Amino acid sequence: MSSLGGVKIYYEFPTDNHLRFGLNYDFLPIYARLTLSAAEDPIPLETPQNYAQSTEWPLFLGKQWLEECIANHPECHFMGTSRVYPTRLLELNAPEVGLFRVIYPAAAEEPMTDPYMTLSHCWGSLELLKLETTTYSQLSAGTKISDLPRTFRDAIAVALLFGVKYLWIDFLCIFQDSKDDWSREASLMGDVYRYGLCNIAATAAQDGTGGLFSERQNSKIQDLYVKSTWIDATNMTWRVHMSSFNKLQLLDGPLLSRGWVVQERFLARRILHFGKAQLYWECQRFDACEAYPVGNPKFAGSTPFKSGLNGGMDILAQSPSFPSDLDPKKLEFWHSVLQDYSSCQLTREEDKLVALSGLAKAFQASFAGEEYLAGLWRGSLVTDLCWVLGEPGHRPVKYRAPSWSWASIDGKLFCLGPNAPFEGISMVKILEASVNLRSSDPTGEVTGGFIRLQGNLWTVGHVPGTLSEIGQTSTKYIVNNIISEEFMAADTKIHLQRLHCMPILKQIYSVTEYAECMLVEPTGSKTGQFRRVGMMTMSFEKHHIQSGEVIHNEDWLEFEVDVGGGQYIISII
């Protein structure tokens, strides 16, 4: 047993740089698996080794990260040296110190060359000063910075401290009472973050009143060192880390559950987070924080967001390694983004596609202009159709996307298909696929859409005496006169009446062939017209199905065209 500054350390066994500790801090027991790393030099236990030794926020450290990134991180300059400005910006300390005003960079007397910063924040439900037709005159003439909510005031202070006199805040740079302006600016938002010098993230604030500089407990991020006194081994000084440190202490905050933030974090070249306990830095090169100012160790928690997730944004700049623009690595990256995005929340349900449109445009450029269909790519449509939800989700009352698109429903998303269309065996032909756009933005809102598929079509019968509806579960059903109990993933609760399935993709697990089947139900509006209601993984062997074989269907089988040989044409809306 050892003791340090009120912390009693109980270690049980040493094994490959890991110890099992029991901690008692101020008589409050905490049990955690801790990781030890050898200090570069023997360090006296009483010597502080990080920047977080007071309740003051060390903004100089954030400025150092920014300056280091600008000077020495070429991968963080993936936008080159070109300057693109938002439609509107806030000019700080203008027309005089203590004021700000809304300006149009394109209308400047001389071409602008100075950088600007952006702000990511949670909107909350409070009424805040915002850009509207009734406030434009006031905001463009000059408004007191002190009239703004705390989060906005703090962001302005950070920008000015970093020597930047222009800032973009959505609330003050987009007309909040104009749907046309909102739609236009939302389609440009990806470039707003992409071309900004650095994004300031109010990660810990619930709304505009929370500010950047919360009251923090520095003991959570101060270093803890242990000096060993082994009898039969070399003694060293060890630094103690919590294995869950990154998730619990570094990047925990309400902002990270906001849907818009997913593309903001990917597209912004650099992000400075103001978390609950400390500053946190993200760029394409590395993640860092006050506890680890030169870069987070790999064992400090999750993989770095920008630089770690399947190679980060730099993968989109790489030439395809396959004879197709839909490089499998890029598709895997896209699927990973969708899965992260699906866990986040949106204030406005109708923003599901819009809030990801900036990132979709970046992928579209990398895919050489591949057509985007309400969140899916035409060139990988068979694979992209194979998505499931972790549990039954919620469809918004207002139409948002075709039922075959993940954007039509809210819930945790998983992509089932292989990472590239070059693997697996397609079991359908895509005859037509189309969406109706609300505006000229191909990655924005849609008002309708359909796909026409040709493939096998099987009725899914209900076994009498079992449940009449399912969520995500194994349930008994009948295909080809065979009663089976296999995996069904419902988009919402499914009523097992007149249910059909169409095999989309054949995959082989071990030596068994399975079909990823889309579950559909008739709309009742037009013969052969369906809507998607879920997915089912079905064993060919269990149902005595051979490829191309005509199977037994119930007499309520519905379709547009019987092509013959067990093949049918249907439409899904």
Side-chain angles (χ1 to χ4, degrees):
M1 183 182 76
S2 302
S3 178
L4 173 63
V7 183
K8 295 180 180 179
I9 308 172
Y10 302 87
Y11 48 83
E12 295 180 0
F13 58 88
T15 169
D16 296 333
N17 292 352
H18 290 79
L19 297 181
R20 176 71 67 177
F21 280 92
L23 299 186
N24 190 303
Y25 184 75
D26 292 338
F27 306 105
L28 185 66
I30 306 171
Y31 298 98
R33 180 167 176 78
L34 304 179
T35 303
L36 299 183
S37 64
E40 294 181 1
D41 298 300
I43 301 171
L45 296 183
E46 65 274 9
T47 303
Q49 293 298 313
N50 63 31
Y51 293 91
Q53 299 304 313
S54 71
T55 56
E56 297 297 322
W57 288 78
L59 294 180
F60 72 91
L61 180 57
K63 191 173 182 181
Q64 286 178 3
W65 285 327
L66 177 60
E67 291 171 348
E68 168 67 18
C69 183
I70 292 172
N72 297 312
H73 296 180
E75 63 269 42
C76 299
H77 294 269
F78 53 84
M79 291 313 303
T81 57
S82 58
R83 291 276 187 206
V84 174
Y85 289 94
T87 304
R88 306 174 192 93
L89 280 171
L90 306 183
E91 185 178 14
L92 311 180
N93 278 343
E96 60 184 70
V97 174
L99 303 182
F100 75 94
R101 62 186 175 191
V102 175
I103 65 166
Y104 284 78
E109 294 181 2
E110 297 182 4
M112 287 182 58
T113 58
D114 291 333
Y116 67 91
M117 299 180 80
T118 56
L119 173 67
S120 289
H121 65 102
C122 288
W123 280 28
S125 58
L126 300 176
E127 279 297 318
L128 307 175
L129 178 62
K130 54 191 173 185
L131 179 60
E132 296 180 312
T133 52
T134 57
T135 61
Y136 172 69
S137 296
Q138 170 196 352
L139 292 173
S140 61
T143 303
K144 291 181 180 179
I145 294 174
S146 58
D147 288 345
L148 292 173
R150 181 182 170 190
T151 300
F152 295 178
R153 296 198 309 268
D154 288 352
I156 288 174
V158 170
L160 291 173
L161 180 66
F162 285 16
V164 177
K165 63 179 181 180
Y166 297 106
L167 181 64
W168 187 89
I169 302 176
D170 51 7
F171 244 52
L172 298 170
C173 293
I174 301 175
F175 278 98
Q176 300 299 310
D177 58 351
S178 169
K179 185 169 180 59
D180 288 343
D181 191 64
W182 172 258
S183 296
R184 182 172 54 254
E185 294 302 308
S187 70
L188 302 173
M189 212 171 292
D191 282 346
V192 169
Y193 286 92
R194 188 195 300 257
Y195 286 97
L197 180 69
C198 181
N199 183 44
I200 300 167
T203 307
Q206 293 278 2
D207 53 39
T209 65
L212 300 182
F213 312 111
S214 59
E215 197 171 319
R216 59 186 191 157
Q217 298 178 5
N218 297 82
S219 61
K220 292 184 178 180
I221 54 174
Q222 289 175 357
D223 291 341
L224 174 62
Y225 289 90
V226 176
K227 189 173 183 179
S228 63
T229 55
W230 314 125
I231 299 175
D232 55 351
T234 303
N235 287 299
M236 301 179 66
T237 299
W238 304 85
R239 185 176 185 179
V240 183
H241 313 270
M242 288 188 66
S243 60
S244 59
F245 192 55
N246 194 28
K247 178 65 176 177
L248 297 179
Q249 304 297 345
L250 306 189
L251 271 182
D252 184 27
L255 182 68
L256 302 183
S257 63
R258 179 173 169 255
W260 281 93
V261 170
V262 173
Q263 74 168 5
E264 292 167 10
R265 288 180 74 187
F266 275 117
L267 293 177
R269 287 182 273 183
R270 311 168 184 95
I271 305 176
L272 182 62
H273 291 271
F274 288 78
K276 292 181 179 180
Q278 61 180 320
L279 293 176
Y280 189 98
W281 173 264
E282 288 181 324
C283 70
Q284 199 65 23
R285 171 75 64 89
F286 77 148
D287 287 16
C289 61
E290 293 174 50
Y292 305 102
V294 296
N296 294 341
K298 293 181 180 179
F299 48 76
S302 62
T303 302
F305 187 86
K306 291 177 69 64
S307 59
L309 184 55
N310 298 310
M313 287 297 291
D314 61 338
I315 196 173
L316 296 188
Q318 297 174 6
S319 299
S321 56
F322 279 69
S324 166
D325 293 322
L326 296 183
D327 189 297
K329 291 183 179 179
K330 296 176 184 179
L331 285 173
E332 183 181 7
F333 182 16
W334 173 252
H335 290 159
S336 297
V337 169
L338 293 184
Q339 291 174 178
D340 279 354
Y341 180 61
S342 68
S343 298
C344 297
Q345 307 300 315
L346 291 165
T347 302
R348 294 158 31 111
E349 285 188 329
E350 59 267 35
D351 287 347
K352 190 78 168 186
L353 287 168
V354 179
L356 205 63
S357 64
L359 197 52
K361 287 182 177 68
F363 275 88
Q364 190 172 47
S366 181
F367 288 155
E370 185 70 34
E371 186 177 1
Y372 187 70
L373 298 165
L376 287 69
W377 302 101
R378 181 178 288 277
S380 59
L381 194 53
V382 171
T383 298
D384 288 356
L385 288 171
C386 296
W387 55 267
V388 298
L389 298 181
E391 58 184 28
H394 161 73
R395 289 195 191 276
V397 176
K398 186 177 179 181
Y399 182 88
R400 194 168 63 191
S403 64
W404 41 266
S405 167
W406 55 264
S408 67
I409 197 163
D410 295 321
K412 176 59 180 174
L413 182 72
F414 297 93
C415 299
L416 278 184
N419 295 331
F422 321 106
E423 302 174 10
I425 301 172
S426 173
M427 296 189 67
V428 294
K429 291 181 181 178
I430 310 291
L431 303 180
E432 292 181 76
S434 177
V435 294
N436 304 322
L437 301 174
R438 185 177 294 279
S439 67
S440 59
D441 182 6
T443 61
E445 290 184 67
V446 300
T447 58
F450 73 95
I451 53 174
R452 290 186 80 227
L453 304 178
Q454 177 182 326
N456 299 112
L457 185 64
W458 305 326
T459 55
V460 180
H462 174 218
V463 179
T466 62
L467 294 176
S468 61
E469 64 179 29
I470 63 167
Q472 177 169 5
T473 182
S474 293
T475 190
K476 290 184 179 180
Y477 55 88
I478 305 172
V479 174
N480 197 25
N481 257 350
I482 303 294
I483 297 177
S484 183
E485 189 171 357
E486 293 189 89
F487 181 77
M488 276 188 177
D491 296 345
T492 58
K493 283 190 175 180
I494 297 177
H495 293 276
L496 294 175
Q497 304 294 330
R498 303 178 69 84
L499 197 63
H500 295 57
C501 73
M502 178 168 276
I504 303 297
L505 197 68
K506 181 194 292 185
Q507 301 200 74
I508 300 176
Y509 302 104
S510 297
V511 295
T512 305
E513 290 186 345
Y514 289 88
E516 306 292 357
C517 304
M518 185 186 296
L519 291 167
V520 295
E521 65 179 7
T523 64
S525 299
K526 182 180 178 182
T527 301
Q529 184 185 77
F530 295 81
R531 65 174 59 88
R532 174 190 150 130
V533 295
M535 290 290 292
M536 176 174 66
T537 300
M538 190 177 68
S539 164
F540 284 88
E541 183 180 357
K542 282 185 181 179
H543 290 277
H544 301 172
I545 296 172
Q546 301 296 325
S547 297
E549 179 184 341
V550 178
I551 71 169
H552 172 81
N553 279 313
E554 303 296 335
D555 56 10
W556 40 264
L557 176 72
E558 185 176 318
F559 50 85
E560 280 187 19
V561 180
D562 182 350
V563 180
Q567 295 270 308
Y568 300 89
I569 294 175
I570 64 171
S571 295
I572 306 174
I573 62 172

